[in-house]
Amino acid sequence: MAKRRTIFDSNLRCNLQCPSPPWRLWSCCVHCHTVSEVVLQLSDQKGPSNNQVIKRRRKERPSCPSVLDRFDEQYSQELGDLWASSRAVLLDPHSWQYGVMLNRFSAVTDITQILQSQGFSSLLLQTHVSRVLSNAPPIVSNTEYKAGNESVLPTTYVSKCPRDDGTTNAFSQELQLESSLRLSRPSLQCYIHPYPLWFPSQAHRPGQLKQYYLLNAASLLPVLALHVRDGEKVLDLCSAPGGKAIAIMQCAKPALLCCNEPDPHRRDWLSRTLESFLPHSLNTRVIVSAQDGCYFGQHEAGTYDKVLVDAPCSNDRSWLYSSSSQQGEQRLKERSRLPALQAQLLRSAMSAVRPGGVVVYSTCTLSSSENFAVVETVLNDCPEAELEDLWEEIAIPLSKYFTFSPAHPDHGQTLHKPPLQPQNSTLSSYQHRLGILVVPQPGKTWGPMFLSRIRRRK
């Protein structure tokens, strides 16, 4: 176990006693979706029954009244008629659906057969979005690795990208190694079930990679929007617990994936995730950084081709089930501080990406002030930022699986592209051109998930 941890932890060239980031107070629950739900377990019995799935119900936790009251007040205005049905989903964890993302670095044939036998189906492989990803020609980054002088940097800073001494040749050798190992072609494979069934999680076993990652399927959309291609340098600015980093490595073979997480506890969680899903051969291409994301772009300006900002936010699923009324009240007080932090992270990402490169901003909240308003603020502050439309590319092709807001009154069966100019309404359709929002609905309980894509002009 200790030996495998050195694969990714060896890149933590920093002082682990660095001050906690400003979002540590609420980051611990940002990705927590484990409340009361139906859990599926594979039977340990031998013979034909070992492909059976057993239901187990976790202990229920009550919702937090103060958080629910705040959500009712805000979201009834921002979402209109969609809020009542979304509210019902959020208050019924037994209805929540879960996705199973396969790991291409591990043998998954048996898992695929089990999933299909239990009624799971592939979510993304037959969609327009995944065809764009799989058919996109591989490119090599136009930017060069920077050979910065690490000695002049603060002790809390993690060194820049690997030096450009044989990098291209090393990358080619690693691709040949992957080919010789007969690894599957990069492809994001996720299975979902029409009912709220959850596959069992796999325990970490030293020397053995996990076969799949459990997630809210909507969390894959920011990765799809990022369009990572072979040979690119990618930054995952707020990476813990690591699910989106694992998804990126399913999509392509980047020359570098920098997974940044300043909080020591969450960084350990991130490293464990990476070592559970990625082989030793990737240890020079997947690194862990411990910088404050708000200042990352200052240190590594124009370095990356693609940057993902999965920002800390007021996670609706988690906050709704705060462990106590005191915790709920404290979170609501902290909520007002989030938009400023999120905007600072997004500005930092715009600095870190190269001219012509792309930044994807995402959250797992329905809150307009943390979603559309943050994007609009950064667009106004950064003249080089150019918004890209995700409706034609993601929302319309995937409307079969997800409910996007704004939508037709039938809650997502028909999508209407928002107009380019502001309209007179409580929440203008123009605002939704700033990004797309997945709203949990009965039968499509994925989300909340907001995503927006911004390109830095050349």
Side-chain angles (χ1 to χ4, degrees), residues 33 37-38 89 92-100 120 191-198 215-218 317 401 440-447:
H33 288 164
E37 65 266 334
V38 173
V89 169
D92 182 17
H94 296 305
S95 71
W96 296 358
Q97 296 163 279
Y98 291 86
V100 183
F120 285 81
Y191 282 80
I192 61 172
H193 199 281
Y195 301 107
L197 303 180
W198 191 24
L215 42 65
N216 183 324
R317 289 199 187 208
Y401 304 103
Q441 293 292 292
K444 298 180 182 179
T445 63
W446 315 111

Side-chain angles (χ1 to χ4, degrees), residues 170-394:
F171 176 59
S172 299
Q173 291 176 350
E174 287 169 2
L175 291 183
Q176 292 174 5
L177 175 61
E178 288 189 15
S179 178
S180 67
L181 293 175
R182 296 184 179 180
L183 295 177
S184 62
R185 179 183 179 184
S187 176
L188 187 57
Q189 300 183 71
C190 181
Y191 282 80
I192 61 172
H193 199 281
Y195 301 107
L197 303 180
W198 191 24
F199 223 56
S201 60
Q202 291 181 312
H204 175 78
R205 296 179 180 177
Q208 182 175 342
L209 297 178
K210 292 185 179 182
Q211 296 170 299
Y212 55 86
Y213 188 95
L214 303 176
L215 42 65
N216 183 324
S219 65
L220 294 177
L221 300 185
V223 175
L224 290 175
L226 202 59
H227 281 188
V228 177
R229 298 180 179 180
D230 293 353
E232 290 186 322
K233 296 194 294 296
V234 184
L235 169 62
D236 187 359
L237 189 61
C238 311
S239 190
K244 291 182 177 62
I246 298 302
I248 288 171
M249 296 305 296
Q250 307 305 312
C251 293
K253 302 173 183 178
L256 175 72
L257 172 59
C258 179
C259 303
N260 186 65
E261 177 53 57
D263 182 88
H265 301 289
R266 289 176 59 79
R267 189 166 60 247
D268 287 344
W269 187 6
L270 168 64
S271 293
R272 287 194 297 271
T273 300
L274 296 176
E275 69 192 31
S276 293
F277 287 89
L278 303 181
H280 290 268
S281 61
L282 299 179
N283 66 334
T284 60
R285 288 162 49 193
V286 181
I287 66 173
V288 176
S289 166
Q291 294 190 60
D292 184 337
C294 294
Y295 304 102
F296 198 106
Q298 295 181 11
H299 299 300
E300 300 194 24
T303 299
Y304 296 90
D305 301 291
K306 305 287 173 63
V307 180
L308 175 62
V309 187
D310 188 35
C313 66
S314 53
N315 180 300
D316 296 343
R317 289 199 187 208
S318 175
W319 284 31
L320 191 56
Y321 293 92
S322 299
S323 59
S324 66
S325 58
Q326 291 80 6
Q327 184 187 53
E329 291 291 348
Q330 181 61 32
R331 285 174 166 176
L332 292 176
K333 291 178 181 178
E334 295 164 354
R335 200 180 195 203
S336 61
R337 299 164 52 191
L338 284 169
L341 169 64
Q342 293 157 340
Q344 194 171 359
L345 288 167
L346 185 50
R347 291 189 199 96
S348 177
M350 291 303 301
S351 297
V353 76
R354 65 170 174 82
V358 163
V359 173
V360 170
Y361 173 79
S362 63
T363 74
C364 48
T365 179
L366 298 170
S367 177
S368 176
S369 62
E370 299 178 48
N371 296 334
F372 307 105
V374 170
V375 173
E376 190 167 32
T377 295
V378 174
L379 288 174
N380 292 333
D381 293 344
C382 303
E384 72 278 13
E386 182 178 12
L387 190 67
E388 295 197 338
D389 184 19
L390 294 176
W391 278 87
E392 296 284 350
E393 180 181 314
I394 290 181

